[in-house]
Amino acid sequence: MEIIAYGVLANERPLLQEAFDQAFGSRHELRCLEPFLNRDTVPTAAGHQVVLSSVNDTLDAEVLHDLAKGGTQMIAQRATGYNNIDLAAAQEHGLTVARVSYYSPHSVAEFAWALALAVNRRIVRAVHRTREFDFRLDGLMGRDLHGRVVGVVGTGKIGTVFARIAHGFGMRLLGWDIAENPDCLALGMEYVPRERLFAESDLVSLHVPLVPDTYHLVDAKVLALMKEEAVLINSSRGGLVDTDALLTTLRAGHLSGVGLDVYEEEAGVFFLDKSLEVMTDERLARLMTFPNVLVTSHQAYFTRDAVGQIAETTVRNIEDYFADRTSENTLVRPGLGQDRHARFPLP
């Protein structure tokens, strides 16, 4: 059987192929495609029982209908997030859907801190200057993190690692989540209401999933509560932040800096080379004009360790499908009901 994978990055391909070969040998073949799965490319999936999707694929009702019509029975998402998949439509068409519920939390947490440090200490601006032999320090002043307040929004595996690093900096920890994490409490974290966290923190980092209850969690009201010199970091999901509200806040000179590894309209832009095209997304283009905003292209997870774990888990999900097993990674399975993953309601 040939299994097809979409949106496969060059550095991801050998790790995915290695995990695939170790599990299946010559029993199945893997076909890796660079293009994303969407309404234009879905015909190429015809005849493939198993499809491996990426977080930037478009798996809406129309695409899922065409997949099922073409013989697809199982979708293995190579990511933790799955907001790009219409799970109700998958259930309707009898498709099994699985995701990667866990991979190295250190990859994202460490990158979030890389963003925070780069924004706070104006690293990117400094590098651009020194490449032109401009060694002035004007405009490059940052602030010590030691002794300041960090707000961790979401204290799951990634948020906990982020908090441990903050503790190492000697920062005061504030947390917000639906449940208190004993590991974070042991670090001295104080759990507070969302409004207080944003109002008191010098640095806020987002580590919650994107579900209906967390969409635009950071809106105009929340941004107005933040300190004028605060830093906002988002390495989770773009939809957590209301981009229009953020632009208004930045135009008003509020916030010392923003680091974004994700963007709510990143599909069709991130992971692609747009350097020779006109950027038609005016909001993203406007974000790029602010000297205190740093945007990266959803690379926080992109370490050899994390991508290798994602590949191995994806292969296990395929093995579970063939063995008619379910696991904590199963989102939809015919007969089990829709979306077994717990929602994240606001308290």
Side-chain angles (χ1 to χ4, degrees):
M1 177 189 301
E2 182 179 77
I3 293 174
I4 191 167
Y6 291 88
V8 180
L9 303 174
N11 296 125
E12 176 191 13
R13 184 187 296 259
L15 296 174
L16 186 59
Q17 188 68 62
E18 180 182 1
F20 195 90
D21 291 343
Q22 288 180 354
F24 300 120
S26 60
R27 286 181 292 152
H28 304 298
E29 296 181 4
L30 178 65
R31 181 185 177 192
C32 294
L33 300 181
E34 183 178 347
F36 296 120
L37 178 59
N38 53 40
R39 297 179 184 183
D40 295 327
T41 59
V42 68
T44 61
H48 292 88
Q49 184 178 350
V50 177
V51 167
L52 310 189
S53 59
S54 73
V55 71
N56 272 351
D57 292 332
T58 302
L59 293 156
D60 56 18
E62 181 177 335
V63 170
L64 293 172
H65 171 269
D66 290 347
L67 284 175
K69 185 177 180 181
T72 298
Q73 298 179 21
M74 194 264 182
I75 297 168
Q77 174 94 328
R78 307 188 315 278
T80 297
Y82 54 90
N83 50 287
N84 61 318
I85 306 175
D86 187 332
L87 296 179
Q91 179 77 17
E92 179 182 349
H93 293 296
L95 296 168
T96 294
V97 181
R99 61 154 183 164
V100 178
S101 59
Y102 176 84
Y103 58 85
S104 170
H106 303 279
S107 60
V108 178
E110 290 172 4
F111 191 85
W113 270 110
L115 280 178
L117 292 170
V119 168
N120 177 48
R121 299 305 299 270
R122 319 300 186 201
I123 299 296
V124 175
R125 184 189 296 184
V127 170
H128 286 321
R129 283 188 184 180
T130 55
R131 284 185 181 275
E132 297 178 356
F133 303 102
D134 178 354
F135 299 101
R136 293 172 300 162
L137 297 182
D138 295 341
L140 301 182
M141 182 175 285
R143 297 190 298 167
D144 286 3
L145 294 174
H146 178 81
R148 288 196 157 83
V149 180
V150 61
V152 186
V153 181
T155 55
K157 293 182 176 65
I158 296 173
T160 299
V161 174
F162 185 90
R164 287 198 188 104
I165 298 172
H167 183 261
F169 276 113
M171 303 186 75
R172 176 186 164 211
L173 305 177
L174 297 182
W176 181 80
D177 208 324
I178 57 174
E180 297 183 356
N181 188 327
D183 292 335
C184 290
L185 291 173
L187 296 173
M189 176 176 286
E190 179 184 2
Y191 281 85
V192 297
R194 178 179 56 153
E195 291 75 12
R196 181 182 164 192
L197 182 147
F198 279 92
E200 295 186 11
S201 297
D202 298 292
L203 168 65
V204 175
S205 190
L206 309 180
H207 300 287
V208 294
L210 178 61
V211 294
D213 287 329
T214 60
Y215 176 71
H216 283 182
L217 179 72
V218 182
D219 55 15
K221 179 181 177 181
V222 165
L223 289 167
L225 294 173
M226 296 184 70
K227 297 178 181 179
E228 185 173 339
E229 295 298 316
V231 171
L232 175 66
I233 302 296
N234 186 12
S235 59
S236 184
R237 287 293 180 268
L240 298 176
V241 177
D242 182 338
T243 305
D244 289 329
L246 179 60
L247 285 169
T248 299
T249 300
L250 290 167
R251 280 195 295 265
H254 199 71
L255 297 183
S256 172
V258 176
L260 304 173
D261 185 53
V262 288
Y263 169 63
E264 61 179 324
E265 300 295 337
E266 67 182 55
V269 178
F270 282 17
F271 301 152
L272 300 174
D273 182 1
K274 297 289 184 177
S275 61
L276 299 179
E277 302 178 21
V278 174
M279 176 50 64
T280 57
D281 188 325
E282 295 182 0
R283 295 190 299 172
L284 180 57
R286 186 60 187 271
L287 277 173
M288 299 292 197
T289 67
F290 291 96
N292 59 337
V293 174
L294 179 58
V295 178
T296 53
S297 54
H298 207 140
Q299 69 180 85
Y301 78 99
F302 204 55
T303 66
R304 177 176 295 275
D305 309 84
V307 174
Q309 291 170 7
I310 289 170
E312 293 168 1
T313 301
T314 299
V315 167
R316 286 198 299 272
N317 288 340
I318 299 171
E319 290 178 313
D320 286 342
Y321 164 73
F322 285 137
D324 198 27
R325 296 190 299 259
T326 60
S327 72
E328 71 278 3
N329 298 323
T330 307
L331 294 173
V332 175
R333 181 79 168 179
L336 287 184
Q338 177 194 346
D339 189 1
R340 300 170 62 242
H341 182 57
R343 294 297 185 187
F344 189 100
L346 296 178

